[in-house]
Structure formats: C-alpha cells, structure tokens
Amino acid sequence: MRLQIMTAAAALMALTACSGQSTVKAPDSVDGLTKQQVEAIVKEYLMREPIVLAEAFGELQRREEQQKVAAAENAYKQVKLSADDPVLGRPDAPITIVEFTDYNCGYCKLATNWVLNQVDDRRGDVRVIIKESAVRGSNSEMAAAAALAAQKQGKYREMHVALMKVPANAYTPEIIDQVGKSVGMDVTRMRTDMNSKEVREAVKASISDYEKVGLEGTPSFFINGVYVGGFGEQHLNDIVKQARDKVKT
C-alpha cells in the first residue's frame, strides 16, 4: 500500500512540476507519515527512478500538442476561402489541402515537391489552396505579390514553383523580374498587378488568416480541416490517406 502511495505521489509531483502549475496540495499526513516524510520519500524515489519524470514530461508534451491542434482546427473554421485564392489541382477535388506558406521558409521549399505530387496524383482527388501568408518580412510580401500577379496571367503554378527555387531572403525586384521572365510572364504587367490594391489586399488577407488561426510557423497545412504543423512527409501522407478513406465511405 505504501509503495502504491509513493508511486502515485511521485507521478503526481512529476506532472505538476513539469507543468509549473502545482495545483494539488499535499496532505498533512499519508498512511501515518508526515508531510515532510512523504516529500522526502517522493524525492528519493524520483532521484532513484528519473524515468518517471521523463514519462510525465512526455505525457505533458502530448497533451499540449493535442490542445494546440484542437485550438488551430477550431480557429481555422473562421477562415473563409476566397475564389481568388490560388488553387493547384482539380478545383472540385474532394480532398482540400490548405497550405499557409512563405517564400522565405526553407521547409516550405522542401514541401513544394510533396504538394505537387498530391495534385498530380493520377487519382485527381486532391486540390491545394495556397495561402500566401508572407510573415517573414517585406521581401516575403514582394514574392507573394508576384505569385498572385502571376495568377492573373494564368502562370501561378509556374511562378510559385520558380519562386520556391530561389534561396531564402534572396528576393529583390531584379530577381523577381528574372523569375517572372523565365516562366513567360509579361513583366511590365506583373509589376503593375503586384502594386495593385487588389493584390496587396489579398496578401494582407492571407497574413490575417494566418494570425487569426494562431499559427506559429510555416508551412502549416489543413487537410479537410485537420491541422498539420510543419513539414513531416510521412505524417502528411497519413492524414491524406485518412481523408481519402473518409471520402470513400
């Protein structure tokens, strides 16, 4: 009995210590032992079995991640997809992946091939909506504006992919013009559209959506509403498969 009490007390102390929120008050005595004696026994137990702390911390992290995912998915319900949002793939595909991205994000660049593989899959059941959440400075906004300007010339995919190949933080007006020219754009028209109120407001709207959802980094994905933060290819594949299985049923 005493061992059970000590084990429970140790686990409880570990959890509350890890969270920094010790909300449970220790009793004055336990099984005939004083509070001070129990605390000494618990301390000795934790020193002897530190794995308890590691397990408790792991459980705390798991719970915090669950809360983070739930909060993001709930906030995402407030995001309204616009007909002007760039779409890759079949517009009426049953699986929708919304990607919040930034051209200065290294992991976004790594994720590009995965994104293209989804929309190019022979099943044709995935579309990707890009949210140009340019949160990494003014040259991120400039690159995002260029991509949206390319959409007006029917060159969004080409421009998006080409911009992702440019090293992070290397975007300058000259580089943007070179990339636009390389994908066959009318650069003069592109510049005009980049500076238009419509495009500037579209970039701001995507940034606002990013902030509204409470995202902390890019890329961030919502696959039929299921949140995946960061680029973990296997995890993303698993969520797409789950979405595909639900569509079939």
Side-chain angles (χ1 to χ4, degrees):
M1 177 66 176
R2 182 172 296 176
L3 179 59
Q4 291 176 331
I5 293 173
M6 287 191 294
T7 302
L12 178 60
M13 179 177 285
L15 280 171
T16 55
C18 287
S19 67
Q21 298 176 346
S22 183
T23 58
V24 180
K25 182 179 179 181
D28 292 331
S29 65
V30 176
D31 198 24
L33 298 174
T34 67
K35 175 182 175 182
Q36 289 74 19
Q37 287 174 320
V38 170
E39 289 175 347
I41 292 170
V42 169
K43 180 179 179 181
E44 188 276 333
Y45 174 78
L46 290 176
M47 294 296 290
R48 190 176 70 251
E49 302 289 346
I51 189 65
V52 173
L53 285 171
E55 291 173 349
F57 186 66
E59 175 63 15
L60 178 65
Q61 287 184 312
R62 186 186 68 81
R63 293 182 187 181
E64 288 180 341
E65 183 61 25
Q66 285 181 333
Q67 292 172 353
K68 179 180 176 181
V69 168
E73 290 177 354
N74 186 56
Y76 173 72
K77 295 175 183 177
Q78 304 174 40
V79 173
K80 297 186 183 300
L81 300 179
S82 167
D84 295 327
D85 288 328
V87 179
L88 304 177
R90 201 181 96 205
D92 62 344
I95 299 173
T96 297
I97 300 175
V98 176
E99 180 190 9
F100 288 81
T101 189
D102 187 303
Y103 291 105
N104 277 323
C105 164
Y107 284 105
C108 296
K109 295 179 185 296
L110 289 176
T112 302
N113 283 339
W114 180 85
V115 168
L116 296 178
N117 287 339
Q118 304 314 302
V119 299
D120 291 340
D121 186 280
R122 60 182 177 77
R123 285 166 286 200
D125 58 354
V126 174
R127 66 172 180 165
V128 175
I129 297 175
I130 304 292
K131 286 289 187 180
E132 297 284 1
S133 48
V135 293
R136 287 178 166 81
S138 58
N139 62 351
S140 284
E141 292 185 25
M142 178 171 58
L148 293 177
Q151 184 178 17
K152 292 181 172 296
Q153 297 187 39
K155 296 281 188 179
Y156 178 81
R157 173 169 172 155
E158 294 87 342
M159 189 66 167
H160 176 72
V161 173
L163 286 170
M164 281 298 182
K165 293 179 180 178
V166 176
N169 298 309
Y171 300 99
T172 63
E174 294 75 21
I175 292 294
I176 295 292
D177 288 351
Q178 289 174 19
V179 173
K181 186 175 181 180
S182 73
V183 299
M185 289 182 60
D186 178 334
V187 175
T188 301
R189 179 184 169 190
M190 178 189 76
R191 277 287 160 194
T192 299
D193 289 334
M194 284 175 64
N195 293 315
S196 69
K197 180 179 179 181
E198 179 185 355
V199 166
R200 285 187 282 109
E201 288 186 348
V203 174
K204 288 181 180 178
S206 287
I207 295 173
S208 176
D209 286 338
Y210 174 93
E211 294 171 345
K212 185 186 300 180
V213 178
L215 299 176
E216 298 176 350
T218 54
S220 289
F221 301 89
F222 288 87
I223 302 173
N224 278 5
V226 176
Y227 171 62
V228 179
F231 177 55
E233 188 167 352
Q234 186 56 57
H235 184 40
L236 285 164
N237 286 338
D238 290 343
I239 301 301
V240 170
K241 183 180 184 303
Q242 291 173 19
R244 191 167 276 134
D245 290 342
K246 287 183 179 179
V247 168
K248 291 178 181 177
T249 58

